Amino acid sequence: MKLFEDIFQIGEGISFEEKAMQMFRFQFDENKIYRSFCDLLNVHHSDVTQIEDIPFLPIQFFKSHDILSNTDTVAQIFESSGTTGQIRSRHLVTDLTIYEKSFVTNFKNTYGPLEDLTILALLPTYLERENSSLVYMVDQLIKRSKNPNSGFFLNDHRQLTDRLISLDAAGEKVLLIGVSFALLELIHYQQFSLKNAIVMETGGMKGRRKELIREEFHTLLKNGFGVNHIHSEYGMTELLSQAYSKGNGIFNCPKWMRVLIRDPEDALNLLSTGKTGGINIIDLANMNSCAFIATQDLGRIYPGGGFEVLGRFDQSD
């Protein structure tokens, strides 16, 4: 979409606020579900003069409606994970090159050239189902690393353990990315003392283990892998961008993504820096669906734009 091809150059003379306002006006006109939501709030695009005025679509709409801002052919439908009986979110993507541009650019900006990394992926529940946006992303990162040692591991703890230990001992720069419960199962199988590896958790016990607060969970992983920091990825099916934390629990967004915090008691009221509330996300890579999402996560933002995830709203999936 030519109007928004330059979102990945935001910060290089291109304003996030200007692009967000253009995106809002475009999706107000072209996205039928988002337009209906705005109409129900009695918000017209002439009423929106700054990004703080933009309505945020509740993320639950991705479970009940097809959220699209064009009539192009759908190239991929990403589906959320969930326990049996849950209705899954569906993100209809008409242009996969936008998703790839988003995650590759952000990953390189955060961790450097992909060719310098060996990527080991421990994502068993995601690999066992189709249409995972996380698996799609990691698969592309593995392929672009062009490293024969990179790859996915399902439930073969021995093979993963041997490869991780040998690569680390050889001084290779390794990224181990895994879903939370699988990383815990790995350190239950084997204790490590890694020197050159980055361990990144993608969240989600998915009903496999008791949910832990971040500090407790990361302490277990740090002790089990013998590392000083646990990195984290914050992403979801309904977004085409991710935020990363390098170990302090504070996530940083790419320049085309921004987090705002809403009042838990008044969803149309935004809170100031440091206050706890619902996480709203502007993801300009969502140009063909909806860029303005009200999640069910609780968090707060810090000076400089970093944010922390503190939990979920009660009764949320």
Side-chain angles (χ1 to χ4, degrees):
M1 190 177 300
K2 291 187 176 181
L3 179 61
F4 302 114
E5 284 179 349
D6 55 356
I7 64 164
F8 301 112
Q9 283 77 51
I10 285 174
E12 303 170 16
I14 296 172
S15 163
F16 178 91
E17 287 75 10
E18 181 182 347
K19 281 295 164 187
M21 292 298 295
Q22 289 178 356
M23 188 80 73
F24 165 71
R25 288 189 287 268
F26 168 75
Q27 294 186 339
F28 182 91
D29 289 336
E30 302 298 331
N31 187 317
K32 293 180 180 178
I33 303 301
Y34 185 58
R35 174 62 177 270
S36 295
F37 176 70
C38 291
D39 288 345
L40 288 170
L41 293 177
N42 199 28
V43 174
H44 191 265
H45 68 69
S46 61
D47 302 320
V48 177
T49 59
Q50 57 185 351
I51 61 174
E52 289 79 9
D53 300 332
I54 294 173
F56 286 80
L57 186 74
I59 200 166
Q60 298 94 315
F61 275 70
F62 281 84
K63 295 184 176 184
S64 56
H65 296 79
D66 291 342
I67 311 298
L68 282 168
S69 294
N70 61 41
T71 57
D72 295 347
T73 301
V74 174
Q76 178 79 40
I77 299 176
F78 291 125
E79 293 185 328
S80 65
S81 59
T83 56
T84 302
Q86 278 187 348
I87 299 173
R88 300 176 188 270
S89 290
R90 299 167 76 250
H91 191 171
L92 280 60
V93 179
T94 58
D95 188 348
L96 283 167
T97 64
I98 297 170
Y99 183 37
E100 293 170 9
K101 178 79 170 179
S102 176
F103 65 68
V104 170
T105 302
N106 186 27
F107 191 90
K108 287 182 177 179
N109 289 344
T110 306
Y111 291 102
L114 283 162
E115 295 80 5
D116 294 346
L117 277 176
T118 302
I119 301 173
L120 308 179
L122 185 59
L123 306 168
T125 50
Y126 291 85
L127 282 174
E128 291 162 356
R129 63 181 178 82
E130 297 180 349
N131 301 325
S132 164
S133 58
L134 177 61
V135 168
Y136 186 93
M137 178 184 80
V138 176
D139 181 58
Q140 287 293 316
L141 295 177
I142 286 172
K143 289 175 179 175
R144 292 165 193 249
S145 75
K146 299 179 181 178
N147 189 317
N149 287 313
S150 294
F152 286 96
F153 297 82
L154 191 54
N155 295 305
D156 191 343
H157 289 154
R158 170 49 57 194
Q159 184 184 13
L160 174 56
T161 295
D162 291 345
R163 188 171 301 185
L164 182 56
I165 291 174
S166 64
L167 289 170
D168 187 70
E172 295 289 329
K173 188 177 179 182
V174 178
L175 170 67
L176 172 64
I177 180 169
V179 67
S180 300
F181 78 85
L183 292 174
L184 287 176
E185 289 178 352
L186 181 61
I187 59 173
H188 179 75
Y189 173 83
Q190 172 78 45
Q191 294 283 297
F192 298 84
S193 182
L194 302 175
K195 305 298 181 186
N196 301 293
I198 296 169
V199 179
M200 179 187 293
E201 53 93 2
T202 66
M205 294 300 181
K206 307 299 182 190
R208 297 287 289 265
R209 284 175 175 255
K210 183 184 76 171
E211 293 285 350
L212 302 172
I213 63 171
R214 181 184 60 81
E215 290 82 359
E216 181 182 2
F217 173 51
H218 281 203
T219 296
L220 289 172
L221 292 185
K222 284 189 285 188
N223 292 338
F225 286 107
V227 296
N228 293 324
H229 303 286
I230 299 297
H231 294 222
S232 303
E233 182 255 3
Y234 180 82
M236 58 190 69
T237 300
E238 300 86 354
L239 302 177
L240 295 184
S241 300
Q242 304 76 35
Y244 293 107
S245 165
K246 291 190 172 183
N248 57 2
I250 308 300
F251 290 92
N252 291 293
C253 297
K255 294 183 184 299
W256 54 91
M257 176 183 176
R258 185 173 296 183
V259 165
L260 298 91
I261 302 297
R262 69 181 183 274
D263 189 332
E265 305 297 330
D266 179 4
L268 301 182
N269 182 44
L270 297 178
L271 300 178
S272 58
T273 299
K275 299 284 185 68
T276 298
I279 292 178
N280 286 355
I281 296 177
I282 301 176
D283 180 7
L284 298 182
N286 273 20
M287 60 185 73
N288 293 325
S289 54
C290 182
F292 311 99
I293 306 297
T295 77
Q296 293 183 308
D297 291 331
L298 289 165
R300 57 175 168 247
I301 52 176
Y302 288 86
F307 69 99
E308 184 178 11
V309 181
L310 299 172
R312 305 274 287 169
F313 278 91
D314 290 342
Q315 281 78 55
S316 64
D317 287 337

